[in-house]
């Protein structure tokens, strides 16, 4: 380990390049550890609508979105997934249900709302302590962070509550199906890591939250 930190890289001037409802593009002046400005600016995608709301400015990690790890079935042996068409991929990808946190919502409220809207299922959250804190997604291109809500789902899956712009299929998967999905399908990386945990677990996959 280094015994002394002499300097660190930092952000200089920031310019907002777009003005759209859900995602915007910012140009950062990137100042290296030696104080020189890089010849090429750093470009960042963000959910922030204003420069002053960027995490590089506030240094606060407020969750932009919520991801839902929902366990299903009397034997707690299945998880709730979605297979969603994503325009950046031009195809379908497996994910956990997820969505943006609306202004004034906490993560649990957002999570139960999103689960119902995307799958028709009722999510009963469990206390996950520090595991619910927001973590960053793709730090090389965005300051987006998402918190995870864990819980148990009940009801019958349906897509009747989805928005018309959403192309989502609800998938209730056991461990064997999750293995197949990881081997054969496109999977979002946050979902993939949690499916690996699910496959490796025995009994209730949320039991680790009690430790």
């Amino acid at each position: 380990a280094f015994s002394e930190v002499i300097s660190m890289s930092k952000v200089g001037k920031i310019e907002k390049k777009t003005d759209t409802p859900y995602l915007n593009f910012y140009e950062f002046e990137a100042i290296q550890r030696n104080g020189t400005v890089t010849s090429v600016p750093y470009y960042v995608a963000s959910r922030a609508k204003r420069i002053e709301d960027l995490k590089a400015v506030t240094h606060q990690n407020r969750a932009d979105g919520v991801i839902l790890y929902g366990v299903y079935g009397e034997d707690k042996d299945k998880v709730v997934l979605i297979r969603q068409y994503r325009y950046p991929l031009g195809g379908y990808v497996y994910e956990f249900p997820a969505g943006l946190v609306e202004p004034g919502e906490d993560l649990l409220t957002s999570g139960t709302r999103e689960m119902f809207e995307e799958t028709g299922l009722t999510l009963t959250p469990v206390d996950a302590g520090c595991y619910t804190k927001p973590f960053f997604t793709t730090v090389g291109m965005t300051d987006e962070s998402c918190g995870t809500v864990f819980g148990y789902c009940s009801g019958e899956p349906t897509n009747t509550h989805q928005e018309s712009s959403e192309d989502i299929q609800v998938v209730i998967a056991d461990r064997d199906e999750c293995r197949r999905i990881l081997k054969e399908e496109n999977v979002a990386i946050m979902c993939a890591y949690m499916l690996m945990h699910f496959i490796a677990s025995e009994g209730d996959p949320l039991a680790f939250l009690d430790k």
Side-chain angles (χ1 to χ4, degrees), residues 122-164:
T122 298
L123 174 69
T124 302
V126 299
D127 182 3
C130 66
Y131 295 110
T132 299
K133 66 172 280 191
F135 294 100
F136 294 101
T137 56
T138 310
V139 292
M141 61 180 291
T142 178
D143 67 352
E144 181 187 56
S145 68
C146 294
T148 304
V149 173
F150 301 82
Y152 301 99
C153 290
S154 59
E156 294 299 322
T158 176
N159 60 5
T160 57
H161 305 291
Q162 297 170 12
E163 297 179 5
S164 59

Side-chain angles (χ1 to χ4, degrees), residues 1-151:
F2 293 106
S3 59
E4 181 181 2
V5 177
I6 299 174
S7 61
M8 61 180 284
S9 303
K10 61 182 179 179
V11 176
K13 294 181 294 184
I14 301 174
E15 181 180 350
K16 187 179 182 184
K17 309 296 286 187
T18 61
D19 189 16
T20 63
Y22 300 110
L23 187 66
N24 282 292
F25 199 50
Y26 295 85
E27 181 180 296
F28 282 24
E29 181 184 56
I31 303 174
Q32 301 176 98
R33 289 182 298 172
N34 62 8
T36 62
V37 177
T38 59
S39 59
V40 178
Y42 205 98
Y43 295 99
V44 177
S46 178
R47 301 288 185 186
K49 294 179 171 59
R50 307 178 303 167
I51 290 175
E52 51 265 43
D53 295 329
L54 289 164
K55 293 183 177 68
V57 176
T58 66
H59 299 288
Q60 295 178 354
N61 184 12
R62 185 190 66 81
D64 301 288
V66 61
I67 302 168
L68 310 169
Y69 189 153
V71 175
Y72 189 85
E74 289 185 6
D75 295 330
K76 301 181 175 63
D77 58 350
K78 300 177 179 66
V79 291
V80 180
L81 304 175
I82 58 172
R83 181 176 179 266
Q84 181 167 197
Y85 185 90
R86 289 295 194 179
Y87 290 97
L89 303 181
Y92 291 91
V93 62
Y94 281 80
E95 308 172 60
F96 276 104
L100 297 178
V101 178
E102 300 291 344
E105 281 188 331
D106 58 35
L107 282 174
L108 295 185
T109 301
S110 178
T112 53
R113 174 183 58 76
E114 285 289 349
M115 179 65 82
F116 182 75
E117 289 176 359
E118 293 195 349
T119 71
L121 299 173
T122 298
L123 174 69
T124 302
V126 299
D127 182 3
C130 66
Y131 295 110
T132 299
K133 66 172 280 191
F135 294 100
F136 294 101
T137 56
T138 310
V139 292
M141 61 180 291
T142 178
D143 67 352
E144 181 187 56
S145 68
C146 294
T148 304
V149 173
F150 301 82

Side-chain angles (χ1 to χ4, degrees), residues 161-211:
H161 305 291
Q162 297 170 12
E163 297 179 5
S164 59
S165 60
E166 295 177 317
D167 182 351
I168 296 175
Q169 302 160 13
V170 185
V171 178
I172 308 297
D174 60 15
R175 288 178 171 86
D176 287 340
E177 176 62 4
C178 288
R179 289 188 184 92
R180 186 200 69 79
I181 289 170
L182 286 173
K183 290 178 181 178
E184 301 177 7
E185 306 287 352
N186 292 326
V187 186
I189 192 166
M190 291 179 289
C191 176
Y193 284 141
M194 288 191 279
L195 288 186
M196 294 174 199
H197 163 268
F198 171 62
I199 290 170
S201 66
E202 296 181 359
D204 184 351
L206 300 187
F208 76 98
L209 296 173
D210 295 329
K211 296 180 180 179

